[in-house]
Amino acid sequence: MKVARVVAVAAGAVLAALTLTGSSLPVVKPPPRAVTPDLAWHLTPTGSAARLRGLSAVSGSVAWVSGSEGSQGAVLRTVDAGATWASVAPPGTEGLDLRDVEATSATHAVVLSVGSGPASRIYVTDDGGATWAESFRNTDERAYYDCLTFSTPQRGLALSDPVDGAFRLLETSDGGRSWTPVNPDGMPAALPNEFAFAASGTCLTAGQDQTTYLGSGGQAPARVFTSRNRGHTWSVTEVPVVGGPSAGVFSVRFRDRLTGVAVGGDLSNPFTGLGSAAWTADGATWQVAEPSPGGYRSGSAWLPQAADVVVAVGPTGSDVSVDAGRRWAPVSSEDPGGFDSLDCAADGACWASGEQGRVARLLVDGR
C-alpha cells in the first residue's frame, strides 16, 4: 500500500482582468482546489486480544467497540480518545459474539450478539456499561440477527436473515430498551440462499430523514434494499458487487438520499478486489467501481470533512475514494494490520476496529 495524498482538482477557469471603456473589471479568482486530506492510521492499544467487529464512533473522545475473545463476549469503551480502554461487557455473555454496537453517548449503548435462536440477543446500558439489561432474546431457531442501526437516539432497527422467505426486522422507539416485530408485508421476497453479513454492523444502515439501507449476499446477484419510512416498506435493486455463498454487499453507506456506496466482495478470497464496490448517484441505479478496492472490504464510512471522500476497510487493507466511490486507491503504505469495521462521528472523528484488539483513529492531515 502506498501513502495516498489523492488530489481532486475542481475544474474552473481563471478570468483575467478585462478592460472596458478604459476601466478594468476586478479579477475573479478561481475557487480553491478540493484537496483530499492526507490519511493515516493511528493505533490506540486496547490491551485486548478480541476480534472487534462492532464499532460505534460517538466523538473524537468517545468510542465503543464489541466482539468476542475466545468464548467470551467483549465490549470496550474509551472516553479519552483511545488513551485508555475499559472492558464493560454485559455479564453472562459466555459463548456469545457481540458483533454490533450502537452508542449515542459515553453512557448509552446497545449491543447485539449474533447467531441462530437464543444466541441472537440485544443488551442496553445507560451507565457506560456498569450495568446492562437484556432487552431482546430470539426464540426462533430460523432467525439469525446480523446488524443494528439507529436513525435517532430513540428509533432503531435490528435485522435478521430471511425467515419465511423475507428478511425479518425488529424496531425500537425507546433507545433499544424494548423491541417489536416489523410487519413483514412491506419487505420484498428474498432470493434463494440470500442473507446479510454480520461482519461490521453496517449491513443495515440509517440514512437521511427516514431512510434505511440493507445490503445482501449469499447468492448472485448481490442486492441493496431501500426503505423511505424507517423499515416498514422497501424497494430492492441489484448491484454490481460479486455475489455467492461467501460474497456480496457487506456494507452499504449513503452520504445523502442519492449518493451511496456498497462494498464487499468474497470473504473466501479476501485479496481479490474484483467487483468489491459499487456506487450510485441517484439512489437507484448502481455502477461498478473501477478500480475497485484492493480486496474484500467489510466496512465503510463517508468522511464528514469532505463531501466526496469515502473510506473502506477489510482484513487485508483499507482504501479511499475521492469521487464518491467511483475509483479507489490505498489509504496508506504504513500497514497497521487490517480492520473489520469503520465509523465516523458527527464531529469528524473516524475510528476503525478489527482482530487482536486492534482499534485505530483515522488521522486527517495529521490530526
Side-chain angles (χ1 to χ4, degrees):
M1 298 172 67
K2 298 179 180 179
V3 176
R5 182 178 180 87
V6 188
V7 179
V9 180
V14 179
L15 300 180
L18 300 177
T19 302
L20 182 61
T21 63
S23 299
S24 295
L25 294 174
V27 174
V28 179
K29 295 183 179 179
R33 294 187 302 169
V35 179
T36 301
D38 284 326
L39 305 177
W41 295 109
H42 172 67
L43 290 172
T44 64
T46 63
S48 171
R51 183 156 197 176
L52 301 169
R53 286 189 170 99
L55 168 64
S56 186
V58 177
S59 68
S61 299
V62 179
W64 297 69
V65 291
S66 67
S68 63
E69 184 171 359
S71 61
Q72 179 69 42
V75 178
L76 305 175
R77 182 192 66 146
T78 184
V79 295
D80 55 14
T84 60
W85 291 85
S87 177
V88 295
T93 56
E94 295 82 5
L96 298 182
D97 191 351
L98 305 175
R99 292 282 184 96
D100 196 1
V101 58
E102 301 291 332
T104 57
S105 68
T107 56
H108 179 79
V110 182
V111 296
L112 169 73
S113 68
V114 303
S116 299
S120 285
R121 305 177 195 177
I122 299 175
Y123 299 86
V124 60
T125 182
D126 288 302
D127 55 14
T131 61
W132 295 83
E134 182 182 305
S135 58
F136 170 75
R137 183 178 298 207
N138 178 39
T139 58
D140 190 337
E141 290 291 343
R142 302 171 299 167
Y144 185 114
Y145 284 83
D146 301 286
C147 298
L148 296 169
T149 192
F150 279 78
S151 56
T152 74
Q154 298 300 315
R155 301 189 67 95
L157 293 168
L159 171 71
S160 166
D161 288 335
V163 176
D164 295 328
F167 283 97
R168 175 176 290 183
L169 290 165
L170 303 173
E171 64 180 343
T172 180
S173 59
D174 58 9
R177 298 170 184 85
S178 64
W179 298 84
T180 57
V182 175
N183 188 323
D185 291 347
M187 179 65 73
L191 300 176
N193 303 315
E194 188 173 24
F195 55 84
F197 292 97
S200 67
T202 55
C203 63
L204 182 73
T205 57
Q208 288 185 347
D209 302 323
Q210 300 183 44
T211 56
T212 311
Y213 306 96
L214 189 170
S216 76
Q219 47 69 52
R223 304 200 293 175
V224 166
F225 297 67
T226 301
S227 172
R228 302 294 184 188
N229 55 7
R230 292 196 176 102
H232 288 266
T233 58
W234 296 79
S235 61
V236 62
T237 186
E238 298 177 5
V239 294
V241 170
V242 61
S246 58
V249 175
F250 284 70
S251 178
V252 56
R253 296 277 204 175
F254 272 70
R255 185 190 71 194
D256 51 49
R257 289 173 66 92
L258 300 178
T259 312
V261 294
V263 305
D266 191 343
L267 176 63
S268 68
N269 195 2
F271 289 94
T272 297
L274 183 65
S276 62
W279 59 273
T280 180
D282 62 10
T285 57
W286 292 81
Q287 308 293 326
V288 67
E290 294 178 323
S292 290
Y296 149 71
R297 298 294 179 254
S298 52
S300 61
W302 294 88
L303 265 62
Q305 307 97 322
D308 288 333
V309 181
V310 58
V311 176
V313 299
T316 63
S318 52
D319 302 89
V320 60
S321 170
V322 300
D323 54 9
R326 291 163 174 79
R327 294 167 293 182
W328 296 80
V331 166
S332 173
S333 63
E334 298 178 5
D335 184 9
F339 300 104
D340 293 307
S341 302
L342 177 66
D343 195 31
C344 294
D347 68 358
C350 296
W351 298 78
S353 64
E355 58 186 343
Q356 295 300 311
R358 189 178 302 113
V359 180
R361 281 281 307 276
L362 182 62
L363 298 183
V364 180
D365 286 336
R367 299 188 297 274

